[in-house]
Amino acid sequence: MTPEQFKMAKSAMGLSNPELAEIAGLHRNTLNKVDKGEGKSSTIQHLRLVLEAQGIQFLDSGEVATGPGVAVKNKGQ
């Protein structure tokens, strides 16, 4: 999960860092680090699982969503 995907997932769910921190059992400062791309891999994996349990689907390049959503094109395309 990239920092951009993390931010989009929170936005799609209408969650702030304090709200998601409570759901995930983490401190909001930990989520601030993930926003900046400075999170530990174990924390990022935990947050990904929490967000997937909330209905978020993370996509890699070329994958197609199973429902409505948005995607960001690579710069220069």
Side-chain angles (χ1 to χ4, degrees), residues 1-67:
M1 175 176 69
T2 67
E4 292 79 12
Q5 287 175 310
F6 181 57
K7 292 172 192 172
M8 289 192 305
K10 290 187 301 178
S11 179
M13 297 304 296
L15 295 171
S16 66
N17 276 358
E19 292 167 331
L20 180 55
E22 186 173 329
I23 293 167
L26 299 170
H27 193 277
R28 66 179 177 220
N29 289 345
T30 301
L31 276 63
N32 292 340
K33 289 180 183 178
V34 175
D35 277 332
K36 297 176 190 174
E38 301 170 356
K40 294 179 183 178
S41 60
S42 59
T43 301
I44 293 168
Q45 180 62 23
H46 174 69
L47 287 168
R48 181 181 177 130
L49 292 173
V50 168
L51 288 164
E52 287 175 339
Q54 297 289 316
I56 293 295
Q57 179 187 8
F58 291 96
L59 303 174
D60 290 321
S61 182
E63 289 185 324
V64 180
T66 59

